[in-house]
Amino acid sequence: MIRLYSAEPGRAEVFAEQWAAGGVVAHSITYVELRAGLAGRLRRKLMRKGEHDRAVRAFETDWPSFAHVGVNEALLRSAGDLAATHGLKAYDAVHLAAALTLSPLGLRFMTFDQQLQRVADGVLPGQVWHG
C-alpha cells in the first residue's frame, strides 16, 4: 500500500488495481506499517521532508475510506499458523490471515514481497496479484 503514497516502481500498477477494485481493504495494523514505512523512507533520505509530509496527509485523508479488518482471536491464530508453517514475518502473516478471512467475498491480494506472494498463491489460489 505504501506505493500509493511514495514514488516507487509499481506505483502505477497499484493505482490501477485500486481503481479497478473500487476500494481498499486492509488489516488495521496497516496503519502502523504504512506510517513506519514512510518514516523509514524519510530517515534513509528516500523521501524529502515535504514529500513525506504530503504522503502522511494523503494517507490520513484516505485511511477512513478503507475497509478495515480488525484483530480477533481466530485471525491471530490463523496468522500464527501461517507464520509457523510458511516462515512468514509476523505482520505479513496477519495480512494474509485477514485476506483468507475475506477470500470468500472475492478479493485481489496484492504484495511486492516475493515470499509472501508465493505463500499467498498457495492459500489464495487465483486471488493473488502478479504484476
Side-chain angles (χ1 to χ4, degrees):
M1 185 179 292
I2 201 160
R3 283 173 173 79
L4 293 173
Y5 304 99
S6 65
E8 296 182 33
R11 186 173 194 210
E13 291 90 339
V14 173
F15 274 113
E17 284 293 319
Q18 179 189 23
W19 183 82
V24 173
V25 178
H27 191 277
S28 298
I29 64 164
T30 302
Y31 181 89
V32 177
E33 270 198 310
L34 198 126
R35 291 293 308 275
L38 290 173
R41 282 161 176 72
L42 179 62
R43 278 192 306 278
R44 293 188 313 275
K45 299 185 184 336
L46 300 173
M47 294 179 99
R48 287 186 228 116
K49 176 79 168 114
E51 292 171 310
H52 171 268
D53 293 349
R54 281 188 298 279
V56 169
R57 280 192 305 274
F59 174 63
E60 291 288 351
T61 298
D62 291 346
W63 181 248
S65 70
F66 300 156
H68 305 131
V69 177
V71 175
N72 63 42
E73 189 69 22
L75 188 132
L76 292 176
R77 289 185 179 277
S78 176
D81 291 344
L82 287 165
T85 301
H86 301 286
L88 294 175
K89 294 178 276 185
Y91 276 2
D92 288 349
V94 171
H95 291 304
L96 188 53
L100 278 168
T101 300
L102 298 173
S103 66
L105 303 175
L107 62 86
R108 170 93 56 198
F109 185 77
M110 188 173 213
T111 181
F112 285 83
D113 182 294
Q114 291 181 358
Q115 179 191 9
L116 180 55
Q117 192 175 69
R118 195 169 39 257
V119 174
D121 275 331
V123 299
L124 294 169
Q127 294 181 297
V128 179
W129 174 81
H130 291 274

